[in-house]
Amino acid sequence: MWTDITRRQYARAELLLPSDLTDAEWAILEPLLPPRGKLGRPPVWDYRQIVEAILYLLRGGLPWRMLPPGLFPPMTTVQHYFYRWSAMGLWKSINHALLLMAREAIGREALSQRGRHR
């Protein structure tokens, strides 16, 4: 249940879009992403812009073509990274890492006894 305290605590008014990441959220997520390649031309879009575009689409349940031009990287760029990271299992790894961090944040062991035997 939302209270005045929790509404203020979780308000995202300082962000352009509700799906955008705060600096604190990005600081947790950024190290979990693969390093940029050293070869080829320098990237035009940074990872944060790409991740925020993916979150915008997922949060809204939108198709690729509804990604607003000018607000995010091109749809094809976002799509490329999403599928590439999916194929390498990055989303599953990020989910697992965030789960472990959340467990530790509330004082629990990162892995339960059941999780250790998997």
Side-chain angles (χ1 to χ4, degrees):
M1 181 167 140
W2 286 101
T3 65
D4 290 338
I5 293 169
T6 56
R7 282 187 202 286
R8 280 192 301 277
Q9 182 181 357
Y10 294 104
R12 301 178 75 79
E14 76 280 1
L15 301 173
L16 179 63
L17 299 167
S19 58
D20 286 350
L21 296 165
T22 63
D23 290 340
E25 291 167 340
W26 179 244
I28 293 169
L29 189 56
E30 184 180 24
L32 303 175
L33 297 173
R36 291 278 192 166
K38 304 285 186 218
L39 302 176
R41 63 187 169 130
V44 175
W45 304 98
D46 65 36
Y47 275 171
R48 185 171 183 167
Q49 293 169 299
I50 293 165
V51 170
E52 286 184 344
I54 292 169
L55 293 174
Y56 174 81
L57 291 170
L58 293 175
R59 178 78 173 131
L62 301 171
W64 292 110
R65 298 232 176 260
M66 290 193 70
L67 194 64
L71 192 56
F72 294 111
M75 175 205 82
T76 53
T77 301
V78 176
Q79 195 174 42
H80 165 79
Y81 279 98
F82 177 80
Y83 286 127
R84 186 168 122 203
W85 290 342
S86 294
M88 56 191 282
L90 182 67
W91 302 120
K92 186 175 180 179
S93 297
I94 287 173
N95 187 60
H96 183 69
L98 293 174
L99 172 69
L100 298 181
M101 287 181 219
R103 288 180 60 89
E104 289 175 345
I106 61 170
R108 296 178 70 184
E109 285 187 50
L111 287 177
S112 66
Q113 291 298 327
R114 192 174 118 203
R116 290 182 184 177
H117 298 307
R118 285 186 175 174

